[in-house]
């Protein structure tokens, strides 16, 4: 398994970390209606839930970039490096979202977008 493929696996699971943070402590959590409960949350729980949604939304572009670049025999070392950059940016994104640092969050979001776009340019 390449480093980039390991990043794909990691990113496939990472949004669940944000979901866990959103549900941390389960204060009044209603498992029969989890989305309604999450919709009523504020503060770090609401931000973690929003981050979870964005993390899931970013997955198809990242997955496609890694797979297409690999199929087209792009230099593996560059794919790996950019995939690691994407993962680091998305981890920082979650931290910034939960900490309520919107400007920094936007900057690391752009870094992640740059990394995944650069993977495509390796083709």
């Amino acid at each position: 398994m390449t480093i980039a493929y390991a990043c794909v696996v990691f990113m496939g699971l990472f949004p669940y970390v944000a979901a866990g943070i959103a549900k941390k402590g389960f204060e009044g959590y209603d498992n029969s209606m989890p989305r309604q409960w999450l919709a009523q949350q504020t503060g770090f729980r609401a931000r973690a839930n929003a981050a979870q949604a964005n993390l899931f939304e970013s997955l198809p572009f990242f997955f496609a970039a890694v797979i297409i670049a690999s199929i087209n025999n792009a230099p593996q070392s560059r794919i790996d490096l950019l995939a690691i950059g994407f993962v680091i940016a998305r981890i920082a994104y979650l931290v910034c979202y939960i900490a309520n640092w919107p400007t920094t969050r936007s900057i690391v979001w752009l870094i992640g977008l740059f990394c995944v776009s650069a993977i495509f340019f390796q083709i």
Side-chain angles (χ1 to χ4, degrees), residues 79-115:
I79 299 170
D80 290 343
L81 183 64
L82 290 165
I84 290 169
F86 178 77
V87 168
I88 291 169
R90 299 311 278 170
I91 292 169
Y93 176 84
L94 177 58
V95 170
C96 292
Y97 218 134
I98 292 169
N100 199 22
W101 300 333
T103 302
T104 307
R105 182 187 81 219
S106 294
I107 291 168
V108 297
W109 181 87
L110 284 170
I111 292 168
L113 181 62
F114 169 80
C115 288

Side-chain angles (χ1 to χ4, degrees), residues 30-73:
D30 182 1
N31 197 40
S32 65
M33 311 267 296
R35 292 180 188 228
Q36 287 181 352
W37 180 84
L38 281 167
Q40 296 171 359
Q41 299 310 301
T42 58
F44 82 91
R45 291 180 196 278
R47 291 190 302 274
N49 188 47
Q52 170 197 203
N54 189 274
L55 289 167
F56 273 121
E57 292 163 0
S58 70
L59 293 180
F61 192 44
F62 175 61
F63 290 175
V66 170
I67 292 166
I68 292 169
S70 295
I71 289 171
N72 284 297
N73 296 316

